Amino acid sequence: MENTRRSFLKKVSAAGIGAAGLAMAGNAGATTTAAEPQKKKTAGKDDGKLRFGFIGTGSRCHEHINNVLAIPGNKIVAICDIQQGPIDSTLKHIAKFNVPAPKVYKGGEREFENMLNNEEFDCVIIASPWEWHVPMSVAAMKAGVPYVGVEVSAANTIEECWDLVNVSEATGSHLNIMENVCYRRDCMAALNMVRQGLFGEILHGTCGYEHDLREVKFNDGTHYNYVPGSGDLRMGPTAFAEAQWRTNHSVHRNGDIYPTHGIGPIANCMDINRGNRFLSLSAMATQSRGLHKFIVDNGGENHPLAKVNFNLGDIVTSMIKCSNGQTIIVTHDTNSPRPYSLGFRVQGTEGLWMNDGDHVYVQGKSKPHRWDDSDEWFKKYDHKLWASLESQAAEAGHGGMDYIMMYDLIDAIRNKKPAPMDCYDAAAWSAISGLSEMSIARGGALVDFPDFTRGQWIHRQPQFAL
């Protein structure tokens, strides 16, 4: 098997499948048909269990492990990280399930390549810092892993988005973006209502990521969140967890750097990449004030971090035009004091759903000019995945949607179906980051959205959660 893998990698290398070359090929509009998987693997070899690997062993990895091991018929073959602390924590976590300990790969930044080259997997889940999502996904697909799950956002630049599409097409590996909000119960019920025509023809959507992350972007090097009153504010190498890397994006980038929680469910409601597509985008950003103010308020004007220049606007607003005529507004707001919201609104010719306030209005069924509480509507139109898996999902992360997402992915693996949220979804949803940065840098100029399907969107049919 090792000889087969090395032979495949040599063929890939000889074919010139590199990040830069793929980006150029994608932007040139070349027509590519998805290849058959390069390595013929049997799901659940030997004992019939699906073989999982994890790259990145932080808290998000633990949540995925919970669901992989809660669903019968799976095992964890190997894990990989560059830090010993998260590895130790993950091994202790896995031990609670009374299953064999996985093989550990640790050390240098490219150690994940040794794991991919030495082990056989049915699926590898990538839950690493954002800048590693594409290199690790590409390496896993080139290594012949049949299904690769990558955390959000899947990519940071347009070139990286093309890399994901091109390598998935060239290798036949199924890339799945692990966007759990698409499986949120209210989002799936709203999608059900859209598909059954309750809202008529869809006209407009709003969404976003509005979440006060100031205490995540800074901490004391020990706790995940900043401890108020401690005065010990850190970011970068001496910090802990996401503050080691996430805050740095706020220093260097100005755009919607985390769009997929919002856009994923809206894209499903509008059949993006399946009969519809994103056509163009325009974005603007406010001043950058929130992070600097947080540092001064908690560490004083003389704190070393008070000298850091943060580039990310506190509120970033992107407007998207779709091929079928719909408009979408996407908001990114993570530097401000505020309650959590994803700001969903799905509106059509016959009614709408707004999740802030949990409002539904359906013409001819609701009282004129009066909101209905969404509970009764969502009970009636509850998605079949939730109706059948409610008890199993009850204890899972993020209100159960993590379990539903993993269940759906595992069902695809076992039945050799396409990824529920594939490489085209990963690319289109993540591209909002690069395009919004481009538009903001140009004063809000309209920028064209790449067609990552190369025209296939016209004929592709909806498949998510059917």
Side-chain angles (χ1 to χ4, degrees):
M1 187 63 70
E2 181 60 26
N3 289 335
T4 302
R5 177 184 285 104
R6 288 174 179 167
S7 175
F8 167 68
L9 290 174
K10 288 179 181 177
K11 289 178 182 178
V12 169
S13 178
I17 302 178
L22 286 170
M24 292 171 63
N27 287 307
T31 300
T32 303
T33 303
E36 288 295 318
Q38 297 287 337
K39 295 176 65 181
K40 302 298 183 181
K41 294 187 177 183
T42 302
K45 181 181 177 183
D46 300 327
D47 58 5
K49 292 185 176 182
L50 295 181
R51 299 156 297 183
F52 279 80
F54 290 88
I55 305 176
T57 59
S59 60
R60 189 67 185 132
C61 171
H62 290 197
E63 293 176 3
H64 288 315
I65 285 171
N66 290 342
N67 297 313
V68 165
L69 295 180
I71 298 169
N74 307 308
K75 63 183 179 182
I76 300 174
V77 173
I79 62 174
C80 179
D81 207 306
I82 62 173
Q83 298 185 54
Q84 188 64 47
I87 289 173
D88 292 341
S89 176
T90 299
L91 291 174
K92 289 180 181 178
H93 188 73
I94 293 173
K96 297 176 183 177
F97 292 86
N98 295 316
V99 297
K103 191 171 180 179
V104 174
Y105 288 82
K106 60 183 180 179
E109 288 185 338
R110 312 300 301 193
E111 187 63 22
F112 66 90
E113 294 175 338
N114 289 330
M115 185 185 91
L116 294 170
N117 291 337
N118 292 333
E119 307 295 338
E120 296 292 340
F121 300 105
D122 296 294
C123 180
V124 168
I125 303 293
I126 297 164
S128 58
W130 297 341
E131 55 266 31
W132 284 100
H133 284 182
V134 170
M136 290 172 173
S137 296
V138 165
M141 289 189 285
K142 287 183 178 180
V145 178
Y147 290 81
V148 178
V150 60
E151 264 297 340
V152 298
S153 289
N156 299 298
T157 68
I158 302 303
E159 291 77 14
E160 286 186 335
C161 290
W162 277 114
D163 287 350
L164 294 177
V165 169
N166 288 325
V167 176
S168 179
E169 288 180 340
T171 62
S173 179
H174 298 279
L175 182 83
N176 187 75
I177 181 171
M178 305 296 285
E179 182 41 78
N180 59 352
V181 179
C182 289
Y183 292 90
R184 208 170 85 169
R185 195 166 195 167
D186 56 349
C187 292
M188 297 196 82
L191 177 61
N192 227 4
M193 295 177 73
V194 168
R195 286 175 169 170
Q196 295 189 39
L198 271 293
F199 300 139
E201 181 184 358
I202 300 303
L203 303 168
H204 179 69
T206 69
C207 59
Y209 189 64
E210 301 171 284
H211 189 185
D212 183 357
L213 293 182
R214 296 172 300 164
E215 292 184 1
V216 172
K217 294 184 179 185
F218 304 101
N219 59 44
D220 61 2
T222 303
H223 302 89
Y224 189 88
N225 293 330
Y226 170 70
V227 178
S230 71
D232 188 2
L233 289 145
R234 302 186 192 185
M235 57 172 277
T238 65
F240 179 72
E242 291 186 30
Q244 291 182 346
W245 55 268
R246 186 169 189 158
T247 322
N248 205 37
H249 288 266
S250 301
V251 175
H252 296 286
R253 304 172 65 190
N254 189 17
D256 188 332
I257 60 177
Y258 200 63
T260 68
H261 280 340
I263 199 62
I266 296 297
N268 287 331
C269 287
M270 294 188 181
D271 293 331
I272 298 301
N273 293 328
R274 296 166 180 85
N276 196 7
R277 80 174 185 94
F278 300 141
L279 204 60
S280 56
L281 177 148
S282 174
M284 291 188 180
T286 69
Q287 317 93 302
S288 179
R289 298 289 185 267
L291 297 183
H292 175 76
K293 186 177 186 300
F294 184 82
I295 293 167
V296 172
D297 289 347
N298 290 277
E301 293 183 359
N302 295 322
H303 192 283
L305 294 183
K307 299 175 183 175
V308 175
N309 180 35
F310 294 98
N311 199 34
L312 179 65
D314 288 354
I315 300 170
V316 176
T317 306
S318 302
M319 186 164 70
I320 300 172
K321 181 69 174 179
C322 299
S323 180
N324 290 352
Q326 300 92 346
T327 55
I328 305 170
I329 295 174
V330 189
T331 304
H332 181 270
D333 175 3
T334 61
N335 298 344
S336 310
R338 56 158 302 124
Y340 177 86
S341 172
L342 297 184
F344 287 121
R345 171 180 168 189
V346 179
Q347 187 165 1
T349 56
E350 297 293 325
L352 71 159
W353 164 58
M354 295 178 65
N355 88 287
D356 283 345
D358 289 321
H359 296 315
V360 168
Y361 180 83
V362 178
Q363 184 171 264
K365 299 181 182 295
S366 303
K367 292 181 180 180
H369 308 292
R370 298 286 298 272
W371 290 112
D372 291 338
D373 189 289
S374 64
D375 285 350
E376 291 304 313
W377 283 102
F378 286 173
K379 285 178 183 177
K380 183 176 180 180
Y381 291 95
D382 196 19
H383 193 277
K384 61 184 179 182
L385 280 173
W386 273 100
S388 62
L389 298 171
E390 180 178 13
S391 60
Q392 296 96 312
E395 301 300 321
H398 294 98
M401 57 187 174
D402 286 345
Y403 181 91
I404 305 292
M405 176 177 66
M406 189 61 73
Y407 180 94
D408 203 28
L409 176 58
I410 289 173
D411 177 70
I413 298 170
R414 285 211 172 274
N415 293 289
K416 298 180 174 59
K417 297 189 295 185
M421 301 172 288
D422 63 18
C423 65
Y424 306 110
D425 300 320
W429 303 352
S430 300
I432 293 171
S433 291
L435 293 175
S436 62
E437 290 182 77
M438 188 185 306
S439 178
I440 289 168
R442 299 176 183 177
L446 197 67
V447 295
D448 291 334
F449 230 102
D451 175 11
F452 294 104
T453 73
R454 301 182 180 94
Q456 296 179 62
W457 65 272
I458 297 174
H459 307 292
R460 298 179 84 224
Q461 297 297 311
Q463 67 172 33
F464 177 76
L466 286 174

